[in-house]
Amino acid sequence: MSRRDFFRATGLVAAGAVGGPALLGGLTKSHAAAAPKPAWESKFSACDICFNKCGLIARVEDGVVKKLDPNPKFLKSRGMLCARGNAGLAQVYDPDRLKHPLLRKGERGEGKWQRIPWDEALDMAAQKMAEVRDKYTPCGQLFTAGTDLHSQFVGRFAEVYGSFNVTSHESLCLVSGSRAFLDTFGEVPFADVLNSKYVMMVGANRFEALVTPDSIDLMTAIRENGCKLVTLDPRYTKTAALSHEWYPVRPGTDMAFMLALAHVIINEKLYDPQWIEEKTYGIEQLTAHVQPYTPGFASEQCGIPAEDITRMARELAANAPASMVYPGRRTSDYEDSTQIRRSFAIVNGLLGNWDKPGGLLAARQVGLKGVPYDAPWYDENQEDRIDADKVPMMFEHEGSFLVTRDAVLADDPYPIRGWFIYKTNPMGTAPNRKKTIEMMNKMDFVTVVDIAMSDTAWMADLVLPSQSYLERTDPCSGLQGSVACACVVKRDPVIEPLYESRPLFDIMKGIAGRMELGEYFDFTIEEYREMQTRDIPEALGVMDRDGVYYNPSKVYGIYDGRIYKTLSKKVELYNQRYEQMGIDPLPVYKEPDSPPKNQFRMVIGRNAMITQTSTTNNALLHEFLPTNTLWLNTEAAGKLGIGDGDLVEVSSPVGRQELKAEVTDRIRPDTVFMLSGFNTLSTMQHLSHGNGASINELLDDDYDAITGNASMHTTFVTVTRKVA
């Protein structure tokens, strides 16, 4: 079936007709006029099941969303919508969905709740926050938000309330990678895989852990543009299966491999000398630094033949600048994750691929403006965040959840006794779940705003039902990606809100008004969007018409005539700021510990059906992925007497879980793997409660020494067969 036949069969041509005559395809005007009017209305939105925010068109019939289709004018997702995006319907109409404000009546986690009116719920939330502020100063309240267009209002409220303590999900995910590339290039790049001729993918799994447009563009680059893909991963993922070469790298040795690539490129002078001279800083120091890191040394560490390492370095250089070490996304790996990702960034620096076709691209201006405000100052407050100075280079707007958790448990340097959480689930995403329960029990009052009774909501005092993305009005958001993807989106309701759900903005506004902070939320979302688009006043109308707005801008050559936002004003192979702070200015490799006898290193990863913990209870996705299993190498399983499908117990220093083994050759003998999001504590997640195993019950809580990013690949586990 052709793409056009597919769109015609699914009704997308008719559904998308509001976008303009071009969408009518081969239909003539007379045919179009004679065509019967569809029974549904077509309404634009942007998906919110994961962070990608892909454009979509909702088919609405009699006030009910019947289907979600891709928006063909939304270039970031290349006019497509993945399985998770299609399953957004099941989130809206989930029978487990939160319907009313609920107040805990029993012990935490006991599952006893009382339905209360909204006014009472907002009164209570405001009262409890006021009590915390009076007793512990404003910094006695912690605010945590996930990735959402309304999350900015949590940060706004925290600032006007007076708390410096704000964390996000990102410190469990990607901040060490962002730190590394920011400190090398001056900003975090976007990968132009569509036009690349050679992509080295280390640890990322882009054909399962979907990122738009990279996942789509990489497939196009391989199938149509002659791009070579080389994957290093201890698992034989779908990305590995579609690669030209796959190497089951020993976990934790990525830096040795990267420094060996740099060794070859530098010693064989395979780089562009003009680029290195004019645009980079520290080639002399780097040259001396990489001399011990020969391909032979790296081979002994990572298990990849030295001749292959040498060849790959030459191939990367031969295809430069249209080649790259893919910057990845999730970087929550080890205690030196920032330095590992710095080694990725340094190799890209040697390739001279910055701001070039097929390389790493800079962010483009989409035209949105901030909405400034002057927050009040509280003299009677703490001097800084509770996690300040515990790691040297934390992102303040992201914080470090693990460092914060330890500080809360120790009351160091001061107590935190209130917690407000929106659309994130640290009980289900942070390693060492027992420790998060301890943190919950330390709190005087916890308020959670979410669409579902997550494990975090399950342990809270007050749970407030939020609206789904198809029911609410959202601010504008600027999105970035590779070629032709920088755009602006907004969301308007496609259906009336269900039950008693409310948007986060209204909740924040209601609490602020009860705490004499109402002036900071004295606007509507529509007014807020007008302030955001004051320099691009045409944008709102274009989004009404097309579902997306593009502000024309350069794709390549953005840095022509510009300086880099580093101390040297160049690409910093050798980082001067690190040197000043007593941090290694060049990545220094330390061999990782090997698993003790009869133990395995646990690694994490994603699947095309899984978005952290928010989709394992989705009825549509559950049909495709009903549970998780433990990937266990065939040889290792044989030594343990474990067969495929056997029930096994997995134990670590912090917990134990049971699930079925998936005996396979697709993973290294020293490594095991399972998906996240299963075996929830909340009984109001009926598809995931008691189903499979919880990985965060097993993972230890190490973190990156530079950023505080969680280190989720440092846990060793034992696996034993459960006897019936």
Side-chain angles (χ1 to χ4, degrees):
M1 181 179 285
S2 72
R3 185 176 174 81
R4 172 158 296 283
D5 289 340
F6 171 78
F7 283 155
R8 195 179 303 282
T10 60
L12 182 59
V13 170
V18 295
L23 294 179
L24 292 173
L27 293 176
T28 65
K29 290 183 179 179
S30 60
H31 286 149
K37 184 179 179 180
W40 61 80
E41 294 180 85
S42 299
K43 297 184 178 183
F44 291 115
S45 189
C47 184
D48 198 35
I49 301 300
C50 78
F51 63 89
N52 282 304
K53 301 179 181 66
C54 299
L56 60 83
I57 300 172
R59 300 189 197 180
V60 181
E61 185 177 346
D62 296 328
V64 177
V65 183
K66 296 292 188 178
K67 192 175 186 301
L68 301 176
D69 291 312
N71 180 352
K73 292 193 175 184
F74 192 82
L75 300 179
K76 185 175 184 291
S77 53
R78 306 306 189 212
M80 301 185 189
L81 198 62
C82 77
R84 289 173 298 179
N86 277 279
L89 279 176
Q91 182 195 64
V92 179
Y93 300 112
D94 185 353
D96 286 342
R97 182 175 165 180
L98 289 168
K99 300 174 177 65
H100 323 284
L102 297 173
L103 178 66
R104 178 172 64 85
K105 300 305 292 182
E107 298 296 319
R108 288 196 195 278
E110 193 176 358
K112 294 182 179 179
W113 302 96
Q114 175 187 340
R115 177 179 172 179
I116 61 174
W118 264 108
D119 282 345
E120 182 180 336
L122 295 177
D123 287 345
M124 181 174 295
Q127 176 191 338
K128 295 298 183 180
M129 284 190 193
E131 290 175 0
V132 166
R133 188 170 64 184
D134 291 343
K135 189 172 182 180
Y136 302 104
T137 79
C139 283
Q141 179 81 27
L142 174 64
F143 294 87
T144 301
T147 301
D148 185 84
L149 298 190
H150 277 243
S151 294
Q152 59 192 292
F153 298 123
V154 176
R156 185 187 186 101
F157 184 92
E159 188 169 4
V160 300
Y161 171 91
S163 179
F164 308 140
N165 291 309
V166 179
T167 65
S168 77
H169 172 75
E170 308 302 332
S171 70
L172 298 172
C173 184
L174 54 77
V175 296
S176 57
S178 298
R179 179 87 267 166
F181 278 86
L182 176 68
D183 293 343
T184 304
F185 293 100
E187 66 171 282
V188 181
F190 299 89
D192 184 16
V193 294
L194 180 65
N195 294 300
S196 192
K197 298 302 181 186
Y198 198 103
V199 174
M200 177 78 66
M201 188 159 290
V202 182
N205 182 15
R206 206 40 74 234
F207 293 147
E208 293 183 84
L210 303 178
V211 171
T212 58
D214 295 12
S215 299
I216 307 162
D217 284 355
L218 185 59
M219 184 67 71
T220 303
I222 295 170
R223 296 291 178 86
E224 299 179 14
N225 299 346
C227 175
K228 182 172 182 177
L229 175 62
V230 177
T231 294
L232 275 62
D233 198 305
R235 295 192 299 130
Y236 188 67
T237 62
K238 288 182 171 61
T239 304
L242 291 168
S243 299
H244 297 85
E245 299 176 28
W246 167 64
Y247 298 92
V249 63
R250 177 188 171 201
T253 63
D254 302 349
M255 187 195 296
F257 175 83
M258 291 296 160
L259 293 175
L261 293 181
H263 175 102
V264 174
I265 293 170
I266 288 173
N267 286 351
E268 296 187 8
K269 297 192 183 304
L270 302 178
Y271 53 78
D272 177 353
Q274 183 178 357
W275 162 264
I276 294 296
E277 173 66 26
E278 295 179 359
K279 300 295 185 182
T280 71
Y281 175 85
I283 187 63
E284 295 85 2
Q285 296 96 319
L286 179 61
T287 298
H289 181 73
V290 299
Q291 292 314 304
Y293 299 111
T294 64
F297 170 82
S299 178
E300 293 175 358
Q301 294 296 309
C302 61
I304 300 172
E307 58 270 23
D308 287 340
I309 296 174
T310 300
R311 173 182 52 80
M312 286 186 275
R314 292 169 178 166
E315 290 174 350
L316 274 167
N319 286 281
S323 62
M324 72 174 73
V325 175
Y326 184 75
R329 182 168 173 87
R330 178 192 51 77
T331 54
S332 46
D333 302 322
Y334 306 97
E335 290 165 291
D336 59 348
S337 279
T338 296
Q339 294 287 24
I340 291 172
R341 300 296 157 162
R342 269 274 291 153
S343 71
F344 287 30
I346 286 168
V347 174
N348 282 304
L350 291 173
L351 296 175
N353 62 13
W354 180 259
D355 202 21
K356 307 257 182 77
L360 304 184
L361 303 185
R364 306 199 293 285
Q365 295 297 318
V366 296
L368 287 184
K369 292 293 184 181
V371 181
Y373 57 95
D374 293 321
W377 179 258
Y378 298 87
D379 291 327
E380 300 298 323
N381 204 358
Q382 306 295 336
E383 292 185 0
D384 210 336
R385 302 170 55 97
I386 196 172
D387 53 8
D389 301 326
K390 293 183 171 66
V391 291
M393 301 192 73
M394 180 188 300
F395 289 104
E396 287 205 359
H397 58 287
E398 309 290 3
S400 167
F401 178 76
L402 296 187
V403 175
T404 296
R405 186 175 67 183
D406 285 347
V408 168
L409 292 175
D411 288 334
D412 177 23
Y414 53 82
I416 285 182
R417 293 295 184 269
W419 197 1
F420 183 94
I421 305 163
Y422 172 61
K423 204 198 169 192
T424 190
N425 181 22
M427 277 288 300
T429 56
N432 197 342
R433 184 163 70 180
K434 290 185 178 66
K435 216 170 187 180
T436 310
I437 293 174
E438 285 184 61
M439 180 181 176
M440 281 280 191
N441 288 331
K442 190 96 173 179
M443 298 294 168
D444 290 350
F445 201 80
V446 179
T447 301
V448 170
V449 181
D450 210 330
I451 191 172
M453 184 65 86
S454 68
D455 279 356
T456 302
W458 187 251
M459 296 294 295
D461 296 281
L462 179 65
V463 179
L464 305 178
S466 66
Q467 293 174 353
S468 75
Y469 68 97
L470 295 174
E471 300 166 308
R472 68 178 191 234
T473 305
D474 281 1
C476 296
S477 178
L479 305 180
Q480 297 281 344
S482 68
V483 182
C485 295
C487 62
V488 179
V489 297
K490 65 180 176 70
R491 294 193 187 102
D492 292 305
V494 303
I495 57 172
E496 291 296 317
L498 299 180
Y499 315 114
E500 293 183 24
S501 61
R502 292 189 182 183
L504 183 276
F505 173 75
D506 286 3
I507 294 170
M508 293 283 83
K509 188 171 185 173
I511 297 174
R514 289 164 168 80
M515 299 186 70
E516 299 182 352
L517 297 171
E519 64 182 287
Y520 300 102
F521 290 84
D522 188 20
F523 51 85
T524 65
I525 294 294
E526 289 82 1
E527 291 168 341
Y528 191 85
R529 295 196 299 207
E530 289 178 0
M531 291 185 280
Q532 289 180 293
T533 58
R534 57 189 178 272
D535 285 357
I536 45 172
E538 73 281 5
L540 295 176
V542 172
M543 284 186 277
D544 287 338
R545 185 192 71 201
D546 296 339
V548 62
Y549 170 79
Y550 298 96
N551 190 10
S553 61
K554 291 174 66 174
V555 176
Y556 309 113
I558 292 175
Y559 268 70
D560 291 347
R562 283 176 54 184
I563 61 172
Y564 293 79
K565 290 172 279 189
T566 61
L567 288 182
S568 66
K569 299 180 173 52
K570 294 182 177 183
V571 175
E572 292 220 339
L573 308 175
Y574 181 95
N575 191 280
Q576 296 179 92
R577 186 180 177 199
Y578 284 19
E579 182 181 36
Q580 294 173 0
M581 298 179 67
I583 301 170
D584 289 327
L586 289 164
V588 177
Y589 175 72
K590 179 182 177 182
E591 183 176 359
D593 293 333
S594 295
K597 186 178 180 180
N598 297 324
Q599 293 190 33
F600 304 88
R601 183 183 295 276
M602 175 74 77
V603 298
I604 69 170
R606 298 288 172 255
N607 175 281
M609 308 298 166
I610 298 292
T611 302
Q612 311 297 346
T613 63
S614 63
T615 54
T616 50
N617 200 61
N618 184 294
L620 288 173
L621 297 175
H622 180 79
E623 294 183 29
F624 295 96
L625 189 70
T627 192
N628 63 348
T629 57
L630 182 78
W631 285 33
L632 182 64
N633 177 269
T634 304
E635 179 184 349
K639 292 178 180 178
L640 296 172
I642 295 172
D644 187 50
D646 283 351
L647 184 67
V648 296
E649 180 181 86
V650 186
S651 59
S652 76
V654 300
R656 61 186 62 234
Q657 290 283 283
E658 294 180 6
L659 75 169
K660 289 185 177 180
E662 182 174 341
V663 177
T664 175
D665 293 328
R666 294 176 295 151
I667 193 166
R668 288 175 55 95
D670 57 359
T671 306
V672 293
F673 162 81
M674 69 171 72
L675 287 167
S676 63
F678 289 91
N679 196 19
T680 58
L681 300 175
S682 169
T683 62
M684 291 175 65
Q685 299 269 278
H686 78 277
L687 295 177
S688 54
H689 172 69
N691 175 8
S694 165
I695 192 171
N696 61 305
E697 183 77 21
L698 296 166
L699 293 175
D700 213 339
D701 51 331
D702 301 321
Y703 53 82
D704 174 54
I706 293 178
T707 63
N709 198 159
S711 301
M712 296 191 182
H713 283 180
T714 60
T715 303
F716 296 131
V717 300
T718 58
V719 181
T720 54
R721 181 173 177 270
K722 294 288 290 183
V723 179

